[in-house]
Amino acid sequence: MEKVGTYKFMAEPFKADVKGNLFMSALGNYMLNAADFQSAERNFGYLDLRESNKAWVLSRFVIDISEMPKSYEHFHISTWVESAMRFFTRRNWSIQGDGGKQYGYGCSVWAMIDLETRQPADIFAIGNGIMKEYVDEEHTVPIEPPSRVRMNEKEAKLVREIDTVYNDIDINGHVNSVRYIEHALDILPLEWHSNNFIRRLEVAYVAEAHFGDKLRFYEDRQSEDEICYRISALQPDGKEQECCRIKILVKSK
Amino acid sequence: MEKVGTYKFMAEPFKADVKGNLFMSALGNYMLNAADFQSAERNFGYLDLRESNKAWVLSRFVIDISEMPKSYEHFHISTWVESAMRFFTRRNWSIQGDGGKQYGYGCSVWAMIDLETRQPADIFAIGNGIMKEYVDEEHTVPIEPPSRVRMNEKEAKLVREIDTVYNDIDINGHVNSVRYIEHALDILPLEWHSNNFIRRLEVAYVAEAHFGDKLRFYEDRQSEDEICYRISALQPDGKEQECCRIKILVKSK
């Protein structure tokens, strides 16, 4: 089987924003679907890991695009593993339209954890190191790798606080990775989205939020072109735990 | 071309709830996608209508299921037009798994409006009455037709108020039909969803909400098995406009 998996998608009309562009969170969801399909077909997917009580944990997620698919446009997402070390693996994506149009790329870092101990687990213990067969080291993507999302904590303002809700929670009982993106982009008003294009979105995941937590969003506008969010979970006992940081780089229109 | 259109879907892993069941709002979205594909292939779809400045408006939407697809399950949705009158058309759905498993059915009522006047438009004026060729009158679904969603206004309590956000708004500038379902079901806590199964969901759409409105959810628990919501838009001028009513019928587990 080839190292790269390629999957067809269509920008669903009900997943398009007021400009007719696919929502960033919907693109992120398709990319994670492609990753899931690619790994499942090569026997290191979610269901394979669950047999030995392990799970993939997304640590960094970058979406870097020059254009967003419009509603009804068909596109395909290719994805592959660029590197695998004992505790981390890097996965890339390429998002292409019909006729070779390049919408953009993605890259990510994943860890594997033991679901019982919640500790990092040895990636090469899965299927006798089967992932090694699919590492495609020469196959990089022409975008910046994940960076540190630095917040100016003095400048950061609490701009949104919401309850976690039923539709936030995935099968693992955690807030779904893509919902942080959706909720963060909902801080920015419709008019902002009409006048700006998010050319790069970067998420650094830190810890999981659970049902019953409140999600707090702290915003740091570092410049016109760069906005950072720190999202934390205010737990029922009053403890506040950082969940993730999101950096968006913007191109004004 | 056949009257019935059938489309394959997979219950996407990131669209499954804590029990591994596809979210009701995701199923609703797939059903509306199927409707969109079926009508587009027969030249009375969204893009065909837009050429003459018309649009489909969903008036009633019923999802009636005995079981929900689990994450990773493949299923197909068949959809067809059961009747077409001058100002209304009825559309049905059948949701089946591999091997003929019947998850459930859906039915709906649609109007066509002129986008300029916002008035009802003549459905048979599209493509010289092309819809008539695809009406399948004998092909009903074995579920109750849409009913009136009656609220006991004295008992109804305001249980949620949220701002409209970027991800709520579709290409027409309105709150997406499926988001009302998602937001209403988010009123019920995770534990409620773990202990109950929504066997029927019915929406009666009244008017559109826009960005800048606040959405207010009024709840009337008519019995353990029946919960009704009235959702209204609190507009920036302070006027409150009813948007839709949702009735859910519940099977306790």
Side-chain angles (χ1 to χ4, degrees), chain B:
Chain B
M1 186 170 282
E2 288 194 32
K3 292 177 177 175
V4 177
T6 298
Y7 307 92
K8 288 170 184 280
F9 296 91
M10 190 192 74
E12 294 176 56
F14 306 104
K15 299 288 175 199
D17 75 1
V18 71
K19 291 179 294 184
N21 286 338
L22 186 63
F23 282 116
M24 181 67 87
S25 51
L27 177 62
N29 187 59
Y30 292 141
M31 290 165 71
L32 295 181
N33 279 345
D36 193 50
F37 301 155
Q38 193 265 357
S39 56
E41 286 166 5
R42 288 160 185 77
N43 303 314
F44 53 91
Y46 170 76
L47 294 174
D48 301 290
L49 266 62
R50 209 167 56 175
E51 285 173 21
S52 47
N53 214 25
K54 306 282 189 300
W56 288 117
V57 175
L58 185 54
S59 169
R60 299 299 182 95
F61 189 25
V62 176
I63 305 175
D64 194 313
I65 53 171
S66 52
E67 193 180 329
M68 188 61 100
K70 291 265 177 197
S71 60
Y72 293 107
E73 280 182 352
H74 291 264
F75 59 99
H76 50 269
I77 300 180
S78 298
T79 184
W80 64 95
V81 174
E82 185 193 314
S83 68
M85 288 172 293
R86 194 164 160 209
F87 292 124
F88 285 102
T89 169
R90 283 180 180 268
R91 169 181 291 282
N92 295 332
W93 292 270
S94 171
I95 305 143
Q96 289 194 314
D98 288 344
K101 175 192 267 196
Q102 188 75 44
Y103 288 108
Y105 299 93
C107 60
S108 60
V109 176
W110 302 72
M112 188 184 286
I113 61 159
D114 184 294
L115 285 172
E116 199 161 321
T117 64
R118 312 296 301 176
Q119 293 300 306
D122 182 355
I123 287 172
F124 298 133
I126 292 295
N128 283 320
I130 190 160
M131 279 195 72
K132 283 179 191 164
E133 293 175 30
Y134 296 107
V135 171
D136 202 353
E137 278 190 355
E138 306 302 309
H139 200 171
T140 57
V141 281
I143 59 172
E144 291 290 314
S147 67
R148 281 198 58 175
V149 180
R150 288 176 210 276
M151 297 277 290
N152 182 336
E153 290 296 340
K154 281 189 188 159
E155 297 291 324
K157 288 187 183 67
L158 178 64
V159 290
R160 194 175 192 210
E161 180 175 303
I162 52 177
D163 289 319
T164 47
V165 289
Y166 166 65
N167 276 285
D168 285 329
I169 305 298
D170 68 15
I171 193 168
N172 301 309
H174 305 137
V175 172
N176 174 316
S177 310
V178 165
R179 291 284 277 194
Y180 295 108
I181 298 172
E182 186 180 327
H183 289 317
L185 298 187
D186 278 343
I187 293 167
L188 298 160
L190 194 65
E191 198 187 352
W192 185 94
H193 285 282
S194 296
N195 295 327
N196 293 279
F197 178 78
I198 299 174
R199 64 178 179 83
R200 181 179 168 100
L201 180 139
E202 194 162 323
V203 193
Y205 294 97
V206 178
E208 316 277 9
H210 300 85
F211 187 78
D213 297 345
K214 283 180 192 295
L215 296 179
R216 286 185 163 176
F217 298 77
Y218 298 87
E219 184 182 79
D220 176 21
R221 293 208 180 211
Q222 310 204 330
S223 70
E224 278 294 295
D225 307 333
E226 186 173 340
I227 308 175
C228 290
Y229 292 101
R230 177 162 50 79
I231 306 174
S232 67
L234 181 65
Q235 298 165 351
D237 63 4
K239 214 177 107 182
E240 194 167 333
Q241 164 71 52
E242 180 172 338
C243 297
C244 67
R245 293 179 184 208
I246 296 179
K247 177 158 78 177
I248 61 178
L249 299 183
V250 181
K251 194 169 73 181
S252 304
K253 282 199 176 152

Side-chain angles (χ1 to χ4, degrees), chain A residues 6-21:
Chain A
T6 299
Y7 308 91
K8 287 171 186 282
F9 296 92
M10 188 192 76
E12 295 176 55
F14 307 104
K15 299 286 175 199
D17 74 1
V18 71
K19 289 179 296 185
N21 286 339

